[in-house]
Amino acid sequence: MNKDRIVLLDALRGLGVLGILLCNAPDFAVPPVVAESASHWPHGTGPATLSVWVVTQWLFQRKFVTLFAMLFGVSIFLVGGERSDKDRGAILRRRLLWMVVFGLLHGFLIWYGDVLLSYALAGFVVLFVRSWPARKLIRTGLTIWIVFSLLSLVGLSFAAFTPQAADQQALETAKMLAKAKAAEAAYGGDFLQSLVQNAKDRLAFLPAEPIIFVMTSALMMLGLGAFKAGVLTGEASGRVYRRLLVGGVLASLLVGGLFVAEAVMGLPRGLGMVAVGVQWALAPPTTLAYVALMVFATRSTPWSAIPRALAPVGQMAFTNYLAQSVIMTAIFYGGRGLGLHGEVDRPGLAAITVAIWIAQILWSRWWLDRFEMGPLEWVWRRLYRGPSPLRKRVSAAIA
């Protein structure tokens, strides 16, 4: 039973880290002010481009970062144990402190879209509630999520349907595009120029951290509560997973319908803002539908190959997440490799993403056949826990 649970959690973590890449790919390839925009995407709005955008927004965006946050909430308990365990609590705090360091280095020196800092900061709150029972964790996390989602949705709806003079809107658009053009030149320049621009964009994102902190904390509580309730361990009944699947499918149909309608109607600004708000609010139920599908896969012999293939990726999620940033910046940032910033459309980004998925699935299996953990997991573990073996013993590898 423990083996099945570990495979399930690792498979979900692997699904999360791979799914995040498709959502992040545009942020590596073009300036952040236009990365998530369909109407201002530098390569136009052709059928193939819009199709990839709709699929990403419908089936990927917000779902996998939500899953990743939920699973990080689980790790708070798995590493730190109960609050009464002072020794494990000290290990957990050191783990989170080093994650803050990794997050700052990743965000400022590699890629501005870092989530490690947000997770670490939220972790310092969740560690205080990690001994709460499942029901209290779920109730508290869900309440926070609903309140902030409703506030966000109301704010977006108000902004979307508030009349705006055409000349004022044109002026704002012109400023945004000029900013994007300047950032494009910097990202396409030499190594120092791309490094400085990345740091500037990271600083520009920091004011949003308080909101991200609250929402991430809520997701971690939901994830830990779901873990304690048996949902993330595969212990819940088939009826529970069927309900999660149905609820997630209904939520996903609403989200998908909004983005399809937006594409068909010519990308109206108001509908787009509402669609983003609904997408954000319904991320947890759509994410839990993926959890249900993974559980059903682990229980089915023909489909169990999927979680088995994803589990090694999840065991090395920290390494694979940072490796994605290194690979993508080497492809797109100036002075680091190919320097293709601004030159690849969404279909090309999807192809690059799939290639990295395949590579990380194969490389993770190869590495873990020989070593106990991923290379960065090993470094991180040494920093917060002390020396740990990396290479597998011959007898264990043979077994």
Side-chain angles (χ1 to χ4, degrees), residues 139-209:
R139 185 171 59 244
T140 304
L142 194 59
T143 300
I144 295 171
W145 185 266
I146 290 173
V147 169
F148 273 78
S149 294
L150 287 176
L151 289 174
S152 175
L153 190 56
V154 169
L156 285 170
S157 300
F158 180 80
F161 297 108
T162 298
Q164 187 178 32
D167 56 347
Q168 179 64 28
Q169 187 171 345
L171 180 61
E172 290 181 2
T173 300
K175 287 181 178 179
M176 182 188 70
L177 294 178
K179 184 179 179 181
K181 187 175 181 180
E184 181 68 62
Y187 278 119
D190 59 29
F191 179 84
L192 183 58
Q193 287 175 311
S194 64
L195 182 69
V196 170
Q197 184 61 46
N198 180 83
K200 287 180 179 178
D201 285 329
R202 181 61 187 142
L203 283 172
F205 273 84
L206 288 181
E209 279 297 329

Side-chain angles (χ1 to χ4, degrees), residues 29-30 41-43 184 188 332 338-346 349:
V30 301
W41 180 250
H43 303 283
E184 181 68 62
F332 294 106
L338 300 180
L340 296 179
H341 202 269
E343 297 184 23
V344 181
D345 200 357
R346 293 189 191 275
L349 293 176

Side-chain angles (χ1 to χ4, degrees), residues 46 81 93 157 168 200 208 251 254 279-280 293 324 330 376-377:
R93 289 189 292 274
S157 300
Q168 179 64 28
K200 287 180 179 178
L254 175 56
Q279 178 194 65
W280 183 286
L293 286 173
Q324 289 173 358
L376 290 182
E377 281 79 4

Side-chain angles (χ1 to χ4, degrees), residues 4 88 166 220 224 299 335:
D4 292 339
R88 291 177 65 181
M220 288 184 183
L224 182 51
R299 295 178 177 181

